[in-house]
Amino acid sequence: MGMTTELISVLVAVLAVGVTLGGVILTGLHGIRREMGDLRREMGDLRGEIGGVRGELSEFRRDMETRLSAVERQQARLEGLLEGLREAITGHRAT
C-alpha cells in the first residue's frame, strides 16, 4: 500500500507549517532574549545611579546634622545671653 499523492501533499504542508511556526517561535524568543539582556544592562546602570544617589543623600544628611548641631549650639548660647539679660534687667534669677 503506497502513499497517495494527496497524502504526501498533506504531509508536506503539515511539515512546512511546523517548520514555519518553529522559525517564528525561535525568532520571537531571540527578540525576547535580546530585550531581556537590554533590561539587565539598564538595571545595572540604575543600580549604579541609585548607589550614587544614596551616597549623595548620606552626605546631605551628614551636612544637615552638622548644621543642625551648630544651630542648636547657637540657640543655647542665645538662651544663655537672654537669661543673663533678664537677670541684669530684673535683678532676679530665673528658676
Side-chain angles (χ1 to χ4, degrees):
M1 208 160 130
M3 284 201 221
T4 65
T5 314
E6 190 176 301
L7 183 58
I8 292 173
S9 297
V10 170
L11 287 175
V12 168
V14 168
L15 285 173
V17 168
V19 169
T20 302
L21 284 175
V24 168
I25 290 170
L26 289 176
T27 301
L29 288 175
H30 177 70
I32 289 171
R33 284 184 177 189
R34 187 178 57 245
E35 288 179 23
M36 287 177 64
D38 293 345
L39 287 174
R40 279 192 190 117
R41 281 187 290 282
E42 288 176 21
M43 289 297 292
D45 294 345
L46 284 175
R47 284 185 184 139
E49 289 178 28
I50 289 170
V53 169
R54 279 185 179 158
E56 291 173 13
L57 285 175
S58 292
E59 184 178 334
F60 178 77
R61 187 177 134 254
R62 283 191 300 272
D63 290 347
M64 288 298 105
E65 287 174 349
T66 301
R67 291 175 70 184
L68 179 59
S69 178
V71 168
E72 288 172 340
R73 284 192 304 275
Q74 291 172 353
Q75 180 182 352
R77 181 176 170 269
L78 287 174
E79 286 175 352
L81 290 172
L82 285 174
E83 188 60 36
L85 183 60
R86 246 188 244 123
E87 288 176 13
I89 292 172
T90 64
H92 293 54
R93 237 183 127 154
T95 55

